[in-house]
């Protein structure tokens, strides 16, 4: 279960949609799409606070618009998911454990997680 992130501004409980990062060396504020996970020196902002943000004198604000096509799942994502479901649902061929390894012990019976093995050499 994922917990929705909220705006970092005091007393604002709106859902976060953007991430604010300061680049002190360049005197720049960068507002971009919401980061995948919360970073210690980044701030999550709601749409209202992201739109109204101003920078100190001498600082530049760079706004990176999110790509609307990248917001949802692509056809490649859906196809990969369908293929994974098909693969997981495919029954595995039943074969004897160790059948492909010469001299490997053969499972005779099983009780819970314990297995009784027979030595193929009869020793």
């Amino acid at each position: 279960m994922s917990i929705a992130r909220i705006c970092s501004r005091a007393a604002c409980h709106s859902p976060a949609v953007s991430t604010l990062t300061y680049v002190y060396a360049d005197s720049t504020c960068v507002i971009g799409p919401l980061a995948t996970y919360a970073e210690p020196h980044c701030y999550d902002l709601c749409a209202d606070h992201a739109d109204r943000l101003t920078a100190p004198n001498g600082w530049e604000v760079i706004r990176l618009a999110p790509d609307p096509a990248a917001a949802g799942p692509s056809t490649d994502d859906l196809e990969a998911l369908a293929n994974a479901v098909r693969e997981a649902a495919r029954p595995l061929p039943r074969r004897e454990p160790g059948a492909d390894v010469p001299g490997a012990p053969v499972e005779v019976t099983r009780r819970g997680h314990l297995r009784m093995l027979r030595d193929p050499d009869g020793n």
Side-chain angles (χ1 to χ4, degrees):
M1 180 175 102
S2 119
I3 298 174
R5 291 170 21 206
I6 61 169
C7 185
S8 297
R9 296 291 301 256
C12 182
H13 301 290
S14 299
V17 296
S18 298
T19 298
L20 168 66
T21 306
Y22 291 104
V23 182
Y24 292 98
D26 298 331
S27 301
T28 304
C29 303
V30 180
I31 301 175
L34 188 62
T36 306
Y37 53 91
E39 291 282 343
H41 298 288
C42 296
Y43 303 92
D44 296 337
L45 298 176
C46 64
D48 189 39
H49 285 120
D51 290 340
R52 294 187 306 162
L53 180 92
T54 58
N57 286 338
W59 282 59
E60 180 182 4
V61 176
I62 297 176
R63 296 178 191 275
L64 303 173
D67 181 11
S74 70
T75 56
D76 290 341
D77 294 336
L78 295 176
E79 186 175 348
L81 179 60
N83 289 338
V85 169
R86 276 190 217 104
E87 184 68 27
R90 183 177 304 148
L92 295 174
R94 188 148 176 91
R95 62 185 184 107
E96 198 66 31
D100 54 348
V101 179
V106 177
E107 183 176 324
V108 176
T109 187
R110 178 178 284 224
R111 182 176 275 177
H113 68 282
L114 300 174
R115 300 183 302 165
M116 180 185 283
L117 303 176
R118 178 175 43 91
D119 187 0
D121 298 332
N123 296 336

